[in-house]
Amino acid sequence: MLALSARGVLPKVDYAIFADTGWEPQAVYDHLDRLEREIANPAGIPILRVSSGNIRDDALDPDHRFASMPLYILNPDGRPGMTRRQCTGEYKIKPIKRKIRELLGYPHPVRIPKDVFVEQWVGISTDEFHRAKDSDVKYMRNRHPLIDLGWSRDDCVRYLTSIGLADTPKSSCLGCPFHGNAQWRHIRDNSPKEWEDVVAFDAAIRKGNARANASGNQLLGQAFLHRSRVPLAEAPIDHVTASEWAAMQRRLGDDSVDVEELEAGVVEGCSPWACRGAAPDMARDDFGLAS
């Protein structure tokens, strides 16, 4: 959408906002710098980078309030589960809303007049039209230009390729539990330092986040980044046959993931208004509740 706006296909936007969780792959930050340098700046479109902190550091800080990630849980009785997903709201939606209020001149808790609002563009394509929703606040009115254009994900890829941006990386946290095996392999095989980082994080959150542990609310089961519910360094991220995966899931009593999703990850992208994953609240326990 930024490129389409900068090149006059869509109207010129006032701002583009990037919500930074603090734990994106370096390739994403490098690409953002390139977009700013080659696309946004020449068109006079400021890219605003907003943040609520570093999600990785916050999870490991016993003194920090932490909004939980959707981790895979292995309960003491062997049953599988998942923790609730609060990270999108805390690390993406909240800082964007805070910045929009600032741009409008009505920072929280100042009341915004009914006739003051922004038109917010959300990059959902026709493949994900079912995820196109109105905003939950009156001062933001969502619009979905890609759907208005009738563009699918493939159309977006073709356009990016035509303007020299074929290598656009996916934006998501390095340690997002919704990664597919292909994404985990890409990190392991192409970014050794980032792989070491996510493996260390996976081990560090085995008994829950640091604040919960410090307050005596240690997770009774075990938490994992990979859906196989084994340590990431040992997880079956190389090719797994359908029969092998089915056998593994039968042992866990969980047949909710198909092999295609295991390999590619959840189809929907990870963005503030289209976060990957089926449901906004998949809690099975009290791990990581924000207080």
Side-chain angles (χ1 to χ4, degrees):
M1 293 189 303
L2 175 61
L4 290 169
S5 175
R7 290 168 173 258
V9 180
L10 292 173
K12 182 181 176 181
V13 294
D14 297 300
Y15 302 97
I17 300 181
F18 175 73
D20 185 7
T21 66
W23 202 26
E24 294 272 350
Q26 186 57 48
V28 170
Y29 294 117
D30 292 343
H31 185 74
L32 182 62
D33 289 342
R34 181 187 174 193
L35 285 179
E36 188 168 38
R37 183 175 61 252
E38 299 180 8
I39 304 292
N41 286 347
I45 300 174
I47 293 182
L48 308 179
R49 307 187 191 206
V50 299
S51 177
S52 288
N54 184 301
I55 189 171
R56 184 196 191 283
D57 293 347
D58 292 348
L60 302 182
D61 182 354
D63 297 321
H64 196 281
R65 170 185 174 274
F66 178 63
S68 70
M69 301 165 64
L71 303 172
Y72 296 95
I73 301 299
L74 188 60
N75 290 300
D77 61 2
R79 290 185 301 109
M82 287 195 78
T83 57
R84 68 177 58 201
R85 183 180 68 224
Q86 298 172 315
C87 45
T88 301
E90 182 70 20
Y91 289 92
K92 293 190 175 183
I93 294 177
K94 181 181 288 187
I96 289 175
K97 286 182 175 179
R98 185 164 55 238
K99 174 55 69 173
I100 287 176
R101 275 181 157 272
E102 178 185 312
L103 292 172
L104 289 174
Y106 298 91
H108 183 78
V110 179
R111 185 178 180 85
I112 301 177
K114 292 182 179 180
D115 61 342
V116 176
F117 64 91
V118 299
E119 179 179 275
Q120 175 178 248
W121 292 4
V122 183
I124 296 176
S125 63
T126 56
D127 312 75
E128 304 173 319
F129 73 92
H130 59 286
R131 305 185 74 84
K133 300 176 182 178
D134 293 331
S135 172
D136 61 346
V137 291
K138 293 182 179 179
Y139 63 85
M140 295 162 61
R141 299 185 182 179
N142 287 352
R143 181 183 168 192
H144 306 89
L146 299 179
I147 293 178
D148 294 341
L149 290 172
W151 278 27
S152 67
R153 179 179 179 80
D154 288 342
D155 292 322
C156 295
V157 171
R158 278 193 292 270
Y159 179 71
L160 290 172
T161 301
S162 73
I163 61 173
L165 297 175
D167 59 347
T168 297
K170 288 185 178 181
S171 173
S172 66
C173 289
L174 270 173
C176 178
F178 288 129
H179 283 341
N181 282 342
Q183 292 159 294
W184 289 125
R185 288 196 303 273
H186 181 81
I187 297 173
R188 182 196 64 188
D189 298 341
N190 296 281
S191 305
K193 289 185 178 179
E194 292 182 335
W195 176 248
E196 182 180 345
D197 182 32
V198 293
V199 167
F201 180 82
D202 173 72
I205 50 84
R206 193 73 69 237
K207 284 297 182 181
N209 71 66
R211 181 176 179 180
N213 289 332
S215 63
N217 296 314
Q218 188 178 64
L219 185 69
L220 295 179
Q222 293 182 305
F224 302 89
L225 288 181
H226 192 267
R227 61 191 69 199
S228 63
R229 295 174 176 84
V230 300
L232 185 58
E234 306 167 19
I237 65 172
D238 290 300
H239 182 69
V240 182
T241 67
S243 59
E244 288 172 333
W245 183 252
M248 184 182 300
Q249 295 306 91
R250 281 195 296 272
R251 289 196 297 273
L252 287 173
D254 181 8
D255 59 356
S256 60
V257 179
D258 61 33
V259 176
E260 182 178 353
E261 184 175 299
L262 170 71
E263 180 67 13
V266 178
V267 175
E268 284 85 2
C270 188
S271 66
W273 276 265
C275 183
R276 62 182 64 188
D281 186 353
M282 298 175 286
R284 297 293 188 274
D285 48 53
D286 290 334
F287 168 89
L289 283 177
S291 59

